[in-house]
């Protein structure tokens, strides 16, 4: 297996040997012969030779001892490039054909020409061009020529051994073509160098400057200059410089500074440079807006506006415009103006400086707000002992109202945005200086507002005591703490309203109904108003005396006293009194029984009505004569066949009596004549039993029936003096 590759490799080697033998059988082209070698350009040498048959190209070689430069060319002549100027080279040539290259030809020497001078041109003035260059290796002289680029005009040519040359008396702003070359010691010229240069323009003339004071801009114009591509306008001041450039004959410089003096000049320029500066023009801009503006309100209604002096300002105008649109101004050469002002306005203030250039720019606009106006129509709508409500009309410029009430060291305040205030926790019957200050956030409080004296309503009186006399007159005393106040005392009850008044400390009122409960209060009143009522004091009048007092003799020793019940008394006391003694009864009813009464005696009857609280009314003092005593020893005697006499004994005093006989056959009555103690019944049936009662007769004619009754039997015996038999007392007793 390993023998295969070896055979293959042997075969390949054999083929290569055969190919080499075939190529070696062909011959290279002939060696060319250089006819001439010369240099027309400083970096190349041109070679000329006769054509060699079979050559398809040629290899040129240049050697200077340091470097070898080869160049392939197709035919003669051929040029070797990339050489050094003013350098001697050995030039050879080889022909190249299909069979290879020939041997090098015999060498031929050739030297490169001088390098072209590197020109630096400029136009130092509108009529001259300066040409400068560096020394050229192996050069002993230079030739420089100049002519207008358009071919018009003459040609100037100068030879020199220097490295600079100036051409003068040229046309300004004109494009010139400059050509220069160097020559060596053999007079052979080197490469030439050509360039164009334009002469610089003349300075512009007829400069005109106009100033726009509003825009702080200067517009500059001039007559166009020949050959100028651009113009530059310069505005120079002590502190700054501004410029503008243009290709036309006018230009505007913006952003000039106010209050500044500028020197304006114009330069024309082209690719050669700039002209000299034109003659300058002096420009004064408008003055700057005055600074350090101060506004003072020396006194209400007077505004003072002051400012600092500014450069280039001839005079000043201050404008003051109020927020209602009204504007005033003042014109002065000083630095202060005075204006009239009103309260509650905002004034917008600006100050301008003026000179021949015009009005200064608008500076800061200041606003000054005067103090808000003071309320002038303070009106108390409610004044009480501890509170005052006041209102006023809204005033201009006020955002808040501060109300202060001052009395001595006491200060009460209230703040509100509404034109009203309620001052509370005040002292009664006190004079307060009430001031309403208007307030604005910008200016604060207007402290020049005037105050108004307001007195609170009087203090409530304090009732000290209430006294009553026997005639139902009420006297009320109180503690008076107010100045020049009238006090009114009121007694209010279910049965009506009663009052009295006084400027002192007491008053009396009468005619209050009995048996009533009243609430008594006192009120103080002044020109300012009324106080709150005092604490009420209850008042109870004595109970009313009952009407319709009636006395009834129940028995000889007992009477019944009764009365109406239309009263508020809780209990009653009845007292019957005489020289013999006293009888007394205490009851809550409307009647009372009094015993131990002595008959035939004159008594005094008194009634007292007593209320639940113990108030007593001595109601009635009445004289009462007790009934006559019942007679004693009542006996009957027969008078004839049908008559009968009733006889009795009077125990005390004198009285009228009435005798009644009650029988089955009728009632028989007789009454004695005055002063007698018997009476006769002329006709009375006998044979009957009679109840006999001898009764005293009151002054009213009322027959008292409480005396004892006796029963008698009247027989019919036929005798004219029939017997009357006593049967005993009647059960009615």
């Amino acid at each position: 297996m390993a023998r295969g590759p070896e055979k293959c490799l042997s075969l390949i080697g054999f083929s290569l040997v055969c190919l080499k033998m075939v190529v070696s059988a062909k011959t290279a082209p002939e060696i060319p012969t250089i006819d001439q070698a010369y240099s027309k350009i400083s970096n190349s040498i041109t070679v000329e030779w006769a054509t060699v048959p079979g050559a398809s190209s040629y290899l040129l070689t240049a050697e200077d001892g340091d470097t070898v430069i080869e160049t392939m060319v197709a035919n003669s002549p051929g040029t070797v490039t990339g050489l050094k100027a003013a350098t001697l080279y050995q030039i050879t040539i080889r022909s190249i054909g299909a069979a290879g290259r020939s041997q090098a030809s015999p060498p031929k020497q050739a030297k490169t020409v001088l390098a072209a001078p590197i020109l630096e041109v400029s136009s130092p003035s509108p009529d001259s061009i300066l040409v400068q260059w560096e020394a050229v290796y192996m050069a002993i002289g230079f030739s420089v020529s100049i002519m207008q680029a358009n071919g018009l005009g003459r040609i100037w040519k100068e030879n020199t051994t220097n490295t600079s040359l100036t051409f003068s008396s040229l046309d300004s702003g004109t494009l010139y073509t400059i050509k220069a070359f160097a020559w060596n010691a053999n007079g052979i010229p080197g490469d030439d160098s050509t360039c164009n240069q334009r002469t610089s323009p003349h300075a512009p003339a007829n400069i005109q400057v106009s100033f726009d004071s509003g825009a702080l801009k200067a517009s500059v114009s001039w007559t166009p200059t020949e050959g100028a591509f651009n113009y530059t306008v310069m505005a120079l001041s002590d502190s700054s410089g501004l410029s503008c450039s243009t290709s036309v004959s006018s230009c505007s410089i913006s952003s000039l500074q106010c209050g500044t003096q500028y020197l304006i000049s114009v330069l024309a320029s082209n690719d050669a440079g700039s002209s000299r500066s034109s003659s300058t023009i002096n420009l004064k801009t408008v003055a700057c807006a005055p600074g350090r503006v101060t506004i003072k309100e020396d006194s209400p209604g007077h505004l003072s506006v002051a400012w600092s002096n500014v450069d280039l300002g001839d005079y000043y105008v201050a404008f003051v415009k109020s927020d209602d649109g009204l504007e005033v101004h003042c014109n002065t050469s000083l630095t202060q103006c005075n204006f009239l002002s009103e309260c509650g306005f905002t004034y917008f203030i600006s100050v301008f400086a003026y000179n021949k250039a015009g009005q200064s720019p608008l500076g800061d606009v200041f606003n000054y707000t005067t103090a808000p106006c003071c309320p002038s129509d303070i009106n108390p709508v409610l004044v009480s002992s501890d509170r005052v409500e006041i209102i006023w009309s809204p005033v201009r410029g006020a955002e808040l109202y501060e109300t202060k009430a001052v009395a001595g060291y006491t200060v009460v305040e209230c703040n509100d945005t509404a034109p009203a205030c309620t001052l509370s926790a005040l002292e009664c019957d006190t004079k307060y200086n009430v001031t309403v200050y208007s307030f604005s956030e910008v200016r604060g409080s207007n402290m020049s507002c005037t105050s108004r004296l307001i007195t609170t309503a009087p203090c409530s009186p304090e009732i000290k005591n209430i006294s009553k006399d026997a005639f139902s007159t009420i006297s009320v005393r109180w503690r008076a703490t107010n100045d020049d106040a009238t006090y009114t005392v009121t007694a209010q009850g279910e049965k009506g309203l009663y009052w009295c008044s006084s400027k002192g400390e007491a008053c009396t009122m009468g005619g209050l109904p009995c048996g009533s409960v009243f609430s008594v209060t006192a009120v103080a009143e002044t020109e300012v108003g009324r106080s709150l009522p005092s604490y009420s004091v209850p008042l109870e009048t004595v109970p009313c005396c009952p009407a319709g007092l009636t006395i009834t003799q129940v028995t000889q020793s007992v009477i019944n006293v009764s009365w109406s019940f239309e009263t508020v008394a809780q209990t009653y006391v009845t007292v019957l009194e005489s020289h013999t003694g006293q009888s007394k009864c205490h009851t809550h009813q409307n009647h009372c029984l009094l015993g131990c009464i002595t008959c035939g005696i004159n008594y005094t009857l008194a009634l007292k009505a007593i209320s639940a609280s113990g108030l007593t009314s001595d109601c009635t003092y009445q004289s009462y004569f007790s009934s006559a005593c019942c007679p004693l020893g009542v006996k009957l005697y027969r008078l004839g066949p049908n008559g009968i006499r009733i006889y009795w004994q009077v125990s005390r005093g004198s009285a009228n009596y009435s005798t009644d006989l009650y029988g089955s056959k009728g009632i028989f009555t007789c009454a004695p004549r005055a002063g007698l103690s018997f009476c006769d019944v002329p006709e009375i049936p006998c044979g009957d039993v009679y109840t006999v009662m001898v009764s005293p007769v009151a002054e009213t004619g009322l027959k008292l029936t409480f005396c004892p009754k006796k029963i008698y039997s009247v027989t019919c015996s036929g005798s004219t003096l029939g017997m009357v038999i006593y049967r005993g007392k009647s059960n009615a007793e």
Side-chain angles (χ1 to χ4, degrees):
M1 294 296 292
R3 300 299 294 177
E6 291 180 0
K7 292 180 179 180
C8 183
L9 291 173
S10 299
L11 180 61
I12 295 171
F14 177 76
S15 300
L16 292 173
V17 170
C18 292
L19 179 63
K20 183 176 180 184
M21 292 176 63
V22 172
V23 171
S24 300
K26 295 182 179 181
T27 60
E30 296 179 0
I31 299 172
T33 300
I34 299 174
D35 294 333
Q36 62 175 346
Y38 54 88
S39 175
K40 291 185 177 181
I41 300 175
S42 61
N43 66 346
S44 67
I45 293 176
T46 300
V47 182
E48 295 180 359
W49 66 93
T51 303
V52 175
S56 60
S57 62
Y58 301 90
L59 178 64
L60 298 178
T61 303
E63 296 181 18
D64 65 351
D66 295 327
T67 60
V68 177
I69 297 176
E70 294 181 341
T71 302
M72 292 288 290
V73 296
N75 47 41
S76 179
T79 301
V80 182
T81 60
L83 306 180
K84 294 183 285 188
T87 302
L88 182 64
Y89 284 91
Q90 295 286 339
I91 305 299
T92 61
I93 186 170
R94 288 181 174 89
S95 61
I96 299 174
R101 65 173 64 180
S102 69
Q103 295 294 321
S105 68
K108 194 164 184 90
Q109 290 187 342
K111 190 174 186 178
T112 55
V113 297
L114 300 180
I118 300 173
L119 302 181
E120 292 182 6
V121 293
S122 62
S123 177
S125 65
D127 62 349
S128 66
I129 291 178
L130 171 64
V131 184
Q132 294 176 305
W133 58 90
E134 293 182 358
V136 177
Y137 178 66
M138 299 297 290
I140 64 170
F142 300 93
S143 178
V144 183
S145 63
I146 186 170
M147 65 177 295
Q148 291 187 13
N150 57 10
L152 301 178
R154 57 172 288 192
I155 299 176
W156 287 271
K157 186 174 181 180
E158 296 286 344
N159 293 326
T160 182
T161 58
N162 297 324
T163 57
S164 65
L165 187 64
T166 299
F167 293 94
S168 58
S169 301
L170 303 179
D171 294 335
S172 64
T174 302
L175 182 63
Y176 285 88
T177 299
I178 298 98
K179 186 175 182 180
F181 61 88
W183 66 83
N184 59 18
N186 298 323
I188 300 173
D191 290 344
D192 58 18
S193 180
T194 302
C195 66
N196 291 329
Q197 175 64 45
R198 192 182 304 273
T199 53
S200 60
H202 283 294
N206 299 323
I207 298 173
Q208 302 292 326
V209 179
S210 63
F211 178 68
D212 185 345
S213 61
L216 284 176
K217 180 175 70 173
S219 296
V220 185
S221 62
W222 54 89
T223 300
T225 300
E226 182 68 31
F229 293 170
N230 288 290
Y231 300 92
T232 300
V233 180
M234 291 179 292
L236 301 178
S237 68
D238 293 339
S239 60
S240 65
L242 297 172
S243 65
C244 68
S245 296
T246 181
S247 60
V248 295
S249 60
S250 64
C251 186
S252 296
I253 298 180
S254 303
S255 303
L256 295 176
Q257 304 238 343
C258 59
T260 304
Q261 185 169 340
Y262 289 93
L263 294 177
I264 306 295
S265 62
V266 182
L267 295 178
S269 63
N270 54 22
D271 51 2
S274 299
S275 68
R276 291 193 181 130
S277 175
S278 65
S279 59
T280 59
I281 295 179
N282 191 5
L283 172 65
K284 291 183 179 180
T285 63
V286 293
C288 293
R292 297 200 297 275
V293 177
T294 59
I295 305 165
K296 294 181 180 179
E297 194 172 8
D298 297 329
S299 60
H302 297 277
L303 280 183
S304 173
V305 182
W307 55 88
S308 61
N309 201 2
V310 295
D311 294 336
L312 304 183
D314 295 337
Y315 64 96
Y316 304 92
V317 177
F319 294 89
V320 176
K321 185 175 183 179
S322 60
D323 51 12
D324 64 351
L326 181 64
E327 183 177 68
V328 295
H329 69 277
C330 87
N331 188 328
T332 180
S333 58
L334 304 177
T335 57
Q336 180 175 337
C337 275
N338 296 316
F339 297 91
L340 295 178
S341 62
E342 295 184 41
C343 59
F345 274 109
T346 296
Y347 292 93
F348 300 93
I349 300 164
S350 55
V351 182
F352 295 90
Y354 289 83
N355 58 19
K356 291 181 179 180
Q359 175 184 287
S360 68
L362 175 63
D364 293 332
V365 178
F366 298 87
N367 63 72
Y368 184 88
T369 301
T370 55
C373 298
C374 291
S376 59
D377 57 345
I378 300 174
N379 182 27
V381 295
L382 173 64
V383 178
S384 66
S385 300
D386 62 348
R387 186 165 52 97
V388 173
E389 294 182 16
I390 56 176
I391 60 173
W392 56 87
S393 299
V395 296
R396 188 174 55 243
E399 300 170 359
L400 182 73
Y401 298 96
E402 299 175 335
T403 305
K404 287 187 179 181
V406 180
Y409 295 103
T410 302
V411 179
V412 180
E413 300 182 25
C414 79
N415 299 332
D416 205 330
T417 56
C421 177
T422 299
L423 297 165
S424 56
L426 304 179
E427 297 291 334
C428 56
D429 193 44
T430 303
K431 293 180 173 60
Y432 285 90
N433 281 316
V434 178
T435 309
V436 179
Y437 300 99
S438 51
F439 175 87
S440 68
E441 186 176 355
V442 174
R443 192 55 54 201
S445 296
N446 187 345
M447 304 306 294
S448 64
C449 299
T450 58
S451 61
R452 173 173 178 175
L453 186 65
I454 297 178
T455 305
T456 53
C459 303
S460 299
E462 178 186 355
I463 297 177
K464 296 168 63 177
N465 61 68
I466 301 175
S467 61
K468 301 178 286 261
D469 60 14
F471 300 101
S472 298
T473 299
I474 305 301
S475 177
V476 183
R477 300 188 65 83
W478 57 85
R479 188 188 308 278
T481 59
N482 302 297
D483 294 332
D484 195 24
T486 299
Y487 298 88
T488 300
V489 178
T490 302
Q492 176 74 50
E494 294 181 357
K495 295 185 179 180
L497 177 68
Y498 299 84
W499 61 275
C500 64
S501 63
S502 171
K503 286 186 172 292
E505 296 183 348
C507 71
T508 59
M509 66 179 79
L512 273 67
C514 59
S516 299
V517 177
F518 293 90
S519 176
V520 180
T521 57
V523 174
E525 186 172 5
T526 62
E527 293 180 353
V528 176
R530 292 169 61 89
S531 72
L532 295 172
S534 67
Y535 294 117
S536 63
V537 177
L539 170 65
E540 181 184 358
T541 57
V542 296
C544 297
C545 291
L549 186 66
T550 302
I551 304 173
T552 304
Q553 191 86 30
V554 179
T555 66
Q556 182 174 283
S557 63
V558 177
I559 64 171
N560 182 45
V561 182
S562 62
W563 52 87
S564 65
F565 219 9
E566 298 176 359
T567 177
V568 295
Q570 188 173 17
T571 60
Y572 300 90
V573 175
T574 305
V575 178
L576 192 63
E577 190 173 10
S578 71
H579 65 280
T580 61
Q582 184 185 71
S583 181
K584 187 174 183 181
C585 171
H586 194 178
T587 181
H588 64 278
Q589 298 178 341
N590 65 334
H591 62 88
C592 189
L593 291 175
L594 295 173
C596 301
I597 303 300
T598 302
C599 58
I601 298 297
N602 191 20
Y603 284 90
T604 299
L605 178 63
L607 177 65
K608 294 183 178 181
I610 304 173
S611 69
S613 62
L615 293 178
T616 301
S617 181
D618 294 326
C619 297
T620 304
Y621 293 90
Q622 181 175 328
S623 179
Y624 173 71
F625 195 82
S626 62
S627 66
C629 299
C630 290
L632 303 174
V634 177
K635 296 180 179 180
L636 271 66
Y637 295 95
R638 190 72 175 262
L639 295 178
N642 298 322
I644 202 165
R645 172 173 289 183
I646 301 98
Y647 178 82
W648 62 89
Q649 294 179 2
V650 178
S651 62
R652 184 184 301 110
S654 60
N656 295 323
Y657 294 90
S658 174
T659 303
D660 296 303
L661 287 81
Y662 301 92
S664 61
K665 297 179 181 180
I667 298 174
F668 301 91
T669 302
C670 70
R673 291 191 294 270
L676 298 179
S677 57
F678 65 90
C679 69
D680 297 332
V681 177
E683 293 290 338
I684 185 171
C686 62
D688 199 357
V689 177
Y690 290 92
T691 298
V692 179
M693 184 176 63
V694 179
S695 303
V697 178
E699 293 180 356
T700 60
L702 178 65
K703 185 187 298 184
L704 304 178
T705 60
F706 51 74
C707 289
K709 299 175 183 178
K710 292 186 176 183
I711 300 174
Y712 290 91
S713 176
V714 180
T715 64
C716 296
S717 62
S719 173
T720 56
L721 297 173
M723 292 295 294
V724 178
I725 302 172
Y726 174 64
R727 295 289 185 95
K729 292 184 179 180
S730 170
N731 292 332
E733 297 182 13

